[in-house]
């Protein structure tokens, strides 16, 4: 399948869950987790865009997006510190 189509379907599902609400608790948890992971990926995108001048690059994958999404800005700083310390 086309990746654009998959992203559009997932985005539409998230928007639908945001407006209608989930009928049962596990679906609500999955929806909130997906939103946090997408926000984490957005955080990493902006970090990589702005940090490119200073040599900061954290790869955007499921694990790093989940860490930065669930932990927020402190998680993002922790990923940068780990990236600089390990590599």
């Amino acid at each position: 399948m086309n990746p654009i189509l998959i992203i559009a379907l997932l985005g539409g599902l998230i928007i639908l869950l945001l407006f209608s609400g989930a009928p049962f608790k596990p679906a609500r948890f999955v929806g909130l987790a997906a939103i946090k992971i997408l926000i984490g990926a957005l955080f990493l995108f902006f970090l990589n865009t702005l940090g490119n001048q200073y040599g900061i690059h954290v790869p955007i994958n499921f694990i790093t997006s989940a860490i930065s999404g669930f932990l927020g800005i402190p998680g993002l700083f922790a990923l940068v510190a780990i990236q600089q310390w390990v590599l």
Side-chain angles (χ1 to χ4, degrees):
M1 283 183 85
N2 191 0
I4 302 292
L5 181 65
I6 294 172
I7 291 171
L9 287 173
L10 288 174
L13 181 63
I14 289 171
I15 290 172
L16 179 70
L17 281 173
L18 282 173
F19 286 120
S20 68
F24 53 96
K25 201 141 183 102
R28 182 172 295 174
F29 175 73
V30 170
L32 289 175
I35 290 170
K36 287 188 182 239
I37 290 171
L38 287 174
I39 290 171
L42 190 65
F43 280 166
L44 288 170
F45 173 76
F46 286 125
L47 172 76
N48 289 336
T49 302
L50 298 173
N52 191 22
Q53 300 171 1
Y54 305 106
I56 296 172
H57 174 74
V58 178
I60 301 173
N61 55 37
F62 181 75
I63 301 298
T64 57
S65 295
I67 289 171
S68 65
F70 283 106
L71 297 178
I73 301 297
L76 191 67
F77 289 152
L79 286 172
V80 170
I82 291 170
Q83 181 74 20
Q84 295 299 320
W85 184 55
V86 171
L87 300 175

